[in-house]
Amino acid sequence: DQQVKQNSPSLSVQEGRISILNCDYTNSMFDYFLWYKKYPAEGPTFLISISSIKDKNEDGRFTVFLNKSAKHLSLHIVPSQPGDSAVYFCAGMYGGSQGNLIFGKGTKLSVKP
Amino acid sequence: EAQVTQNPRYLITVTGKKLTVTCSQNMNHEYMSWYRQDPGLGLRQIYYSMNVEVTDKGDVPEGYKVSRKEKRNFPLILESPSPNQTSLYFCASKTFGLAGRGGGYNEQFFGPGTRLTVL
């Protein structure tokens, strides 16, 4: 049972345009969602997160939107830069601070100059 | 520098030869975890530890062992590796206190990864 789904394995965007990465989840117990970014030959690094009681969180060029009724979240990157090219993982967690992360399969973003 | 380190970074071994991948963090984090990343499957949790001497199974624990004798170290042990354990392995840690850019206690810090090939 895949609790976190990233249905687009890849996404290609022109530099300067908006990148929208989508994530769906099935577990209504998730109380926190996180996005991680991963470059080749490196470990994932935290990007941005959102609590389930919020519907939006913004950090510079990155904004995450949460639609609880649709069990859907999205990561917006504006404007996209070539250095944003990486694999992006969406993750959900429940159980408070001691909860584990449940990751999606990832979306590979390519930003073309 | 706050970090999670893993050794070795690359390892090629043969079926049945016991191996250990070490993981160490210098952030005094209570929680540590091991993941494997496989093409098309994303990151899957193998084992995790809430604190010293407290470990529990993740989603794919078969064929693996862990121990947490010290807070900073969380080695992953493959007693009898098999080819289906060929994968990219990541160790991660987090604190239960308020820390991190994530607005609290939920951000996990990952190591650089260990690429394991079992022939």
Side-chain angles (χ1 to χ4, degrees):
Chain A
D1 175 32
Q2 202 180 336
Q3 299 183 56
V4 179
K5 301 176 187 178
Q6 293 178 258
N7 293 320
S8 299
S10 63
L11 175 67
S12 184
V13 171
Q14 206 67 32
E15 181 179 6
R17 307 293 290 267
I18 184 171
S19 294
I20 300 176
L21 295 93
N22 293 304
C23 179
D24 297 298
Y25 63 95
T26 59
N27 190 338
S28 56
M29 298 295 291
F30 284 142
D31 50 24
Y32 223 84
F33 300 92
L34 299 88
W35 285 92
Y36 277 80
K37 176 179 177 179
K38 185 184 177 305
Y39 292 119
E42 294 183 13
T45 54
F46 170 79
L47 187 59
I48 193 169
S49 64
I50 189 167
S51 165
S52 62
I53 62 173
K54 302 280 180 74
D55 55 20
K56 178 182 173 181
N57 188 28
E58 200 169 347
D59 184 0
R61 295 186 297 114
F62 302 91
T63 303
V64 57
F65 295 93
L66 174 62
N67 182 334
K68 278 190 75 174
S69 60
K71 291 193 172 70
H72 177 83
L73 62 155
S74 60
L75 173 68
H76 293 211
I77 306 173
V78 183
S80 301
Q81 299 173 354
D84 296 329
S85 298
V87 176
Y88 290 78
F89 291 99
C90 171
M93 69 179 287
Y94 61 93
S97 63
Q98 300 192 352
N100 294 312
L101 289 177
I102 310 294
F103 284 91
K105 295 183 179 181
T107 296
K108 184 175 182 179
L109 173 65
S110 298
V111 180
K112 299 187 185 308
Chain B
E1 180 191 355
Q3 60 183 350
V4 178
T5 56
Q6 297 179 226
N7 283 292
R9 293 291 311 277
Y10 303 91
L11 179 60
I12 300 174
T13 189
V14 295
T15 299
K17 187 176 180 183
K18 181 179 178 179
L19 67 93
T20 299
V21 183
T22 65
C23 172
S24 183
Q25 50 93 6
N26 62 1
M27 296 169 278
N28 202 35
H29 285 170
E30 298 87 357
Y31 178 100
M32 296 186 76
S33 180
W34 276 102
Y35 299 87
R36 59 179 289 175
Q37 183 189 5
D38 301 289
L41 296 176
L43 288 158
R44 295 179 295 167
Q45 190 178 47
I46 303 170
Y47 267 95
Y48 64 97
S49 169
M50 292 291 192
N51 215 321
V52 176
E53 302 292 0
V54 181
T55 63
D56 211 342
K57 296 177 181 178
D59 296 319
V60 287
E62 294 77 20
Y64 304 95
K65 283 176 58 177
V66 292
S67 69
R68 188 90 182 273
K69 292 183 169 55
E70 304 165 285
K71 197 172 186 180
R72 64 182 294 127
N73 297 322
F74 190 44
L76 180 69
I77 303 155
L78 285 73
E79 295 268 2
S80 183
S82 63
N84 64 13
Q85 292 178 299
T86 292
S87 187
L88 180 56
Y89 291 87
F90 292 100
C91 180
S93 71
K94 75 173 181 178
T95 183
F96 294 138
L98 289 174
R101 290 197 301 122
Y105 41 73
N106 298 312
E107 177 184 347
Q108 289 191 25
F109 295 83
F110 282 79
T114 295
R115 171 80 61 187
L116 172 65
T117 302
V118 183
L119 302 174

